[in-house]
Each structure stands twice: as C-alpha cells, then as structure tokens.
Amino acid sequence: MPDPNGFLRYDRRLPARRPVPVRISDWREVYPPAGEALIREQATRCMDCGIPFCHDGCPLGNRIPDWNDLVRTGGWDAAVESLHATNNFPEFTGRLCPAPCEAACVLGIGGGQPVTIKQVEVEIADAAVTRGGLEPRPAATPTGRSVAVVGSGPAGLAAAQQLARAGHAVTVYERDDAIGGLLRYGIPDFKLEKQHIDLRLAQLEAEGVRFRTGVNVGVDVTAEQLREAHDAVLLACGALQGRDTPETPGRQLRGVHQAMTHLVAANRVVAAAGEGRPALAVLSDGTPIDAAGKHVVIIGGGDTAADCLGVAHRQGAAGVHQLDLYPEPPHSRDAERDPWPTWPWILRNYPAHEEGGDRVFAAAVQEFVDDGTGQVRSVRIAEVTVEKRDGRRIVTALPGSERELPADLVLLAIGFEGTEEQPLLAQFGVTRNGRGAIDARPDWQTDADGVFVAGDMHRGASLIVWAIAEGRAVAAAIHTYLGGVGELPAPVDPARQPLAAR
Ligand SMILES: Cc1cc2nc3c(=O)[nH]c(=O)nc-3n(C[C@H](O)[C@H](O)[C@H](O)COP(=O)(O)OP(=O)(O)OC[C@H]3O[C@@H](n4cnc5c(N)ncnc54)[C@H](O)[C@@H]3O)c2cc1C
Ligand code: SF4
C-alpha cells in the first residue's frame, strides 16, 4: 500500500547537477547518482492513483507505481525485476527519455509537480548492476530458427534480446565499428557514458546474441544472402537522413555542416581518447572536428541541437548561438492547446542550456557569408513568422530585421527526413513512404514477406523509449511468424501514436 500523503510531505526534488565549470571541463555525465535517501523520498510522492495515466504516457507501459512503491519500501531487487519486465534497457531511458510519463502524472495536473519517475527509473537501473539484475537469461531450449537484425540501435537491440531469450539464434549486423546505433556515436557521453552500453552488450552476448560490426548490409552482404542465411530479417536502420537547406546562399562554404557530421566525429574523438588510441582530427573538407576558439551557430531547437551546444562548450567554443525558427514556447502547459495528460509544447531547457550560449527564437538564416576564401565568417539572419497553409510551412522574414552573427562553424540540426536511401532498400524490395519511413503491416512485416521493420526506420526520427517499445513488439511478431511457443509481450502496435487530444 503506497503512502497516500507522500506528495503532501515532500516537494519534487532532483539531484543537483554537477557544477557547470566542472562538467564542461570533462565529458562525464551531468547528473551524479541521487543517493538512496533522496530517491526513496521522491518515490514516496507517488500515490498509486486509481488510474495510473503514467502507464499510458509511457510507450513501454512501465509499471511505474509498482516500482515507485518498491523503492519507497527499500525492495530494490523486486523493483529491478518489475522494471525489467517491461523495459530491456532502463539505464538508457532513465538517462535519456524526455519522460512523457511525467507529463501524464496526476500530480502534474493544474501545474503541479509530477513524480520524478525518470530519476527513480535510472536509480533502479543502476542498482541492477550491483544486485545481479544484469545476470544473463539465456533460453533453456533453442528453437533452431534464426533471425538477422540489421542495425544495432535500441530498437534492434531490444528485439535481439527478446528473440534470443525466446530461443532463436540472433545475429545483429551493424555497419559502424561499434554496436549501439545513435546511443554509441550520436548521443554524447555527458548524456550517456558508454560503459552502460558495454555492460548491456555483455549480457546480450552471454544470452547468445552474435554481433557483426563493420558490415554494411546491401553492400558487404546482400539482402539475398541474408535471407538465405536466416529465417526472418528485421530492419532497424534508423532515420539518419539529415534535413538540409541547399537553397540557402553559401550552404557550400567550408565550416557549414550537418550537425551529425560534427557530433558523430566529436563523439568518436572522445571514444578514442578514452581507449588511448589516436582519432581522426579533421573532416573530409579539412575542417577540424573542434569548436575551440570558434564562434558557433547551431540551427535547430531539438535534442541534436542541444547536444551540439554541450559539445561546443566542452570543446572550448568562443561563443555559441542557437537559432530556432519558431517563437519561444510558453514556460508552462497551455491547457487549451495541450490538455493534461498529453505531451505539452513548452520551453525545454536541457542541461546544455545552463552551460552558456544564446538562444535566438523566431529567426532564420538568410545567407551563410563567405570570408573571401570559401570559409564561412558569419550568418545573416532575419526575424521570421511561421504559419501553416494547406499543410505547408510558410516562413516570412520581417523586413528590416536582418543582422549578422559571427560564425566560424555552423551546424545544421534541423531534423531528419526519414531512413537513408541505400542499396539495402531496393534489395529487400521495400520503399520509403512520403515521410521517408518504411511502412509496416499490422504484423510488423514490410511489403516483403519475412522482412520486418521497427524503430526510427518505421516511425521516423523519434525517441529511445519508442525504439525499445517497437523492438519488443516486433520481436513478438517475429516469434509468432517463426512458430515460436507462447507469446512475447508487445507493448505497441505499428499504428500506435503518443497520447494526443485530437
Ligand atoms: C543527436 C541525437 C540525440 C538524441 N537524443 C535523444 C535523447 O536524449 N532521448 C531520446 O529518447 N532520444 C534521443 N534521440 C533519438 C534516438 O537516439 C533515436 O530515436 C533512437 O536511437 C532510434 O533507435 P533505432 O534503433 O531505431 O535506430 P538508430 O539508433 O538510429 O540505429 C540504427 C543503426 O542502424 C545502422 N544501419 C543503418 N543502415 C545499415 C546497414 N545497411 N547495414 C548495417 N547497419 C545499418 C546504423 O549504423 C545505426 O547504428 C537522439 C537522436 C539524435 C540524432
Ligand atoms: S521509459 Fe520514459 S516514459 Fe517510460 S517510465 Fe521511463 S521515463 Fe517515463
């Protein structure tokens, strides 16, 4: 029985982040562990309401009130078990999820203070490491069927673990030199230190999952070869086609890059330094993978832009501007527009924002300005309004509002246009839809029989929690397709969308 008065006794509190001057001098995670006393206090705030709307907010259907109460009473082993019953990788979501569950928490109604669900989750996940919660759970009996998983992000890994535990022989093919998808080289260490991935991979390997890195499916191995070698194929290749702005004058200048070009390279430098090996220090156009001493302009307002901001400060940028096309969002939920328990449009301040830099809202680049040598020296921006007409976005610059910002390095973080066009698609006989994603039938198969799809490749660029949820669900579908005994849990179907008012 939970404490019905806990939320009256305790306010919402998060652990203090490491001080800015300390944390921008290294690449370690921003948040230190919360400590048992704080986390048990915060778990006590959960009143286990009759209808736990947080369940609907979380695509995984995490049993949030159950493990909150277990943490409150010190039942850590049971909490570890309960959390892993619905989430293969709570150490990733506990660190990185934007927590739609908290937006749906009953304590958040009317501007109240939701339970710190995500923080409780990460503390349980970390407790699992020392409490045997990461012990491998290999299948008792092999089924003799085999599955190829293409792509090793959270969707591919969640599916691989579910299928291996059900007795199928799983091989994960990854074109990168390391497993993890965006968790490995997309997301910087200050949000997710990579030992968390490595610990989980050791568990998967002990459960029988085979990893093959450096294999670009469609190039190094054909779809036909893969289909011959396996009974089913899962495509989990992500949505890594970066949106560009080719029509903006000066786009071709040196120093103007896709954000991911800089971010991935920078994360590789950190990984190499951690392993004591040399790393590539320049991009193919000769630009150093370093913002040291530079004026940086980041274009975009989401996760990728915030990660670029944190990287730029750690590399020693002279100054950073972050441009957002849209006006500054409200600081609290607009209940007319986004009623509880839906995900509200509000100003999101990431830890990277308290480390410095200027955010400029309702602004768009008119030109990347040449320094006379083919290198960008500034960006000319204008204040803009944005409206939707006939489903199209119309951006209008306000006359006389133009000004220049100094810029030696410009990073385009303006979103993704779906999964990349690559040989694998035609070889498997699947095509991108209007959003650049790959459609799935209700049983998660693509247009090609026996070829399944999940994660960002199916949804378009999304979140880790959705990737894991789809990975679990597609594993259930593959298990059924292979004639496996019993059913695996399927938290979502291919049509499932986040909670919405309309
Ligand atoms: C910079 C950045 C920061 C983010 N931060 C957050 C965050 O804080 N919280 C959050 O919830 N979400 C975040 N996201 C989104 C999240 O990372 C993705 O939604 C999630 O990783 C999608 O998982 P996935 O498994 O579908 O694909 P991915 O993680 O993209 O993995 C796909 C993998 O497939 C591989 N692949 C592609 N083609 C082939 C091929 N032909 N052969 C072999 N391998 C192939 C790729 O190399 C890649 O490793 C962020 C995204 C970015 C870009
Ligand atoms: S995975 Fe995300 S939505 Fe689900 S409980 Fe954790 S923080 Fe909340």
Side-chain angles (χ1 to χ4, degrees):
M1 172 68 189
D3 181 343
N5 298 318
F7 71 99
L8 297 173
R9 282 187 284 125
Y10 304 115
D11 284 338
R12 176 183 163 101
R13 284 200 299 144
L14 287 168
R17 294 188 271 271
R18 293 198 297 134
V20 169
V22 176
R23 71 186 198 228
I24 65 168
S25 65
D26 64 35
W27 294 90
R28 308 294 307 276
E29 282 176 10
V30 166
Y31 281 95
E36 177 150 356
L38 174 61
I39 215 65
R40 287 181 67 172
E41 171 197 290
Q42 291 300 303
T44 303
R45 295 187 68 244
C46 177
M47 57 184 164
D48 191 10
C49 21
I51 301 176
F53 284 88
C54 52
H55 279 198
D56 296 316
C58 175
L60 285 163
N62 275 348
R63 301 167 185 168
I64 297 160
D66 290 8
W67 38 257
N68 272 333
D69 197 45
L70 289 164
V71 168
R72 178 182 76 87
T73 52
W76 286 94
D77 290 332
V80 167
E81 195 63 31
S82 172
L83 181 53
H84 280 99
T86 55
N87 188 353
N88 297 69
F89 313 128
E91 64 279 23
F92 305 154
T93 46
R95 285 180 168 76
L96 298 166
C97 188
C101 56
E102 293 185 17
C105 174
V106 168
L107 289 185
I109 296 176
Q113 303 176 332
V115 175
T116 58
I117 299 170
K118 167 178 154 162
Q119 192 66 38
V120 177
E121 180 174 17
V122 77
E123 298 296 329
I124 300 171
D126 288 352
V129 177
T130 49
R131 291 177 167 271
L134 260 56
E135 282 296 308
R137 299 178 185 192
T141 324
T143 62
R145 313 304 299 273
S146 92
V147 183
V149 174
V150 186
S152 69
L157 292 181
Q161 183 162 60
Q162 293 295 97
L163 288 164
R165 287 178 172 179
H168 307 295
V170 182
T171 307
V172 177
Y173 297 85
E174 170 56 58
R175 68 183 174 191
D176 260 348
D177 59 358
I179 296 292
L182 282 171
L183 303 176
R184 177 67 67 178
Y185 293 130
I187 293 174
D189 288 50
F190 56 81
K191 278 170 60 180
L192 177 76
E193 289 176 18
K194 306 311 169 194
Q195 75 269 15
H196 304 299
I197 309 176
D198 297 334
L199 269 177
R200 202 45 96 165
L201 295 182
Q203 184 194 40
L204 265 73
E205 268 184 316
E207 290 170 354
V209 176
R210 292 181 59 216
F211 293 114
R212 291 195 53 197
T213 51
V215 181
N216 190 349
V217 174
V219 177
D220 302 320
V221 51
T222 64
E224 200 181 333
Q225 287 168 325
L226 222 57
R227 297 200 69 164
E228 268 171 20
H230 301 279
D231 300 306
V233 177
L234 168 61
L235 301 179
C237 301
L240 301 166
Q241 185 68 51
R243 184 167 293 133
D244 213 311
T245 176
E247 70 289 350
T248 308
R251 166 64 186 90
Q252 79 293 345
L253 294 174
R254 279 196 317 282
V256 182
H257 305 290
Q258 279 286 344
M260 291 300 281
T261 307
H262 185 86
L263 201 52
V264 171
N267 290 337
R268 283 180 175 279
V269 171
V270 174
E275 292 163 18
R277 57 184 167 82
L280 202 66
V282 290
L283 298 176
S284 55
D285 71 353
T287 314
I289 305 164
D290 198 349
K294 291 182 182 168
H295 294 283
V296 181
V297 173
I298 300 164
I299 303 174
D303 274 330
T304 309
D307 290 356
C308 288
L309 182 64
V311 165
H313 283 128
R314 281 161 183 75
Q315 290 179 335
V320 189
H321 283 93
Q322 187 189 340
L323 306 186
D324 199 320
L325 200 56
Y326 292 95
E328 183 169 340
H331 291 218
S332 57
R333 183 193 289 274
D334 173 348
E336 286 280 312
R337 180 197 149 119
D338 306 310
W340 176 90
T342 63
W343 180 246
W345 180 62
I346 54 169
L347 180 69
R348 310 235 169 242
N349 285 316
Y350 298 83
H353 289 116
E354 65 187 16
E355 294 165 2
D358 293 313
R359 290 169 97 170
V360 185
F361 291 96
V365 175
Q366 307 300 295
E367 182 187 359
F368 303 105
V369 182
D370 195 336
D371 73 350
T373 70
Q375 159 71 37
V376 67
R377 81 164 159 77
S378 65
V379 291
R380 194 160 52 76
I381 65 167
E383 281 176 41
V384 294
T385 57
V386 186
E387 52 184 331
K388 276 250 164 94
R389 261 186 249 147
D390 303 329
R392 289 183 54 234
R393 195 171 66 177
I394 312 287
V395 180
T396 311
L398 298 179
S401 68
E402 290 193 0
R403 63 187 170 114
E404 270 188 43
L405 298 176
D408 313 300
L409 178 64
V410 179
L411 302 174
L412 306 177
I414 50 180
F416 295 87
E417 292 183 328
T419 202
E420 296 153 283
E421 262 309 345
Q422 54 168 317
L424 152 153
L425 299 182
Q427 288 182 18
F428 277 109
V430 296
T431 46
R432 297 162 85 232
N433 62 22
R435 295 181 299 107
I438 305 298
D439 287 328
R441 307 198 296 239
D443 65 358
W444 293 95
Q445 288 188 70
T446 62
D447 288 341
D449 287 338
V451 179
F452 296 73
V453 65
D456 278 10
M457 192 176 191
H458 164 249
R459 296 189 73 78
S462 179
L463 297 172
I464 292 160
V465 63
W466 279 102
I468 299 173
E470 291 211 354
R472 289 172 71 83
V474 80
I478 294 172
H479 183 65
T480 303
Y481 173 82
L482 296 177
V485 178
E487 285 183 5
L488 299 184
V492 291
D493 63 48
R496 171 82 179 269
Q497 294 298 324
L499 276 181
R502 49 191 170 268

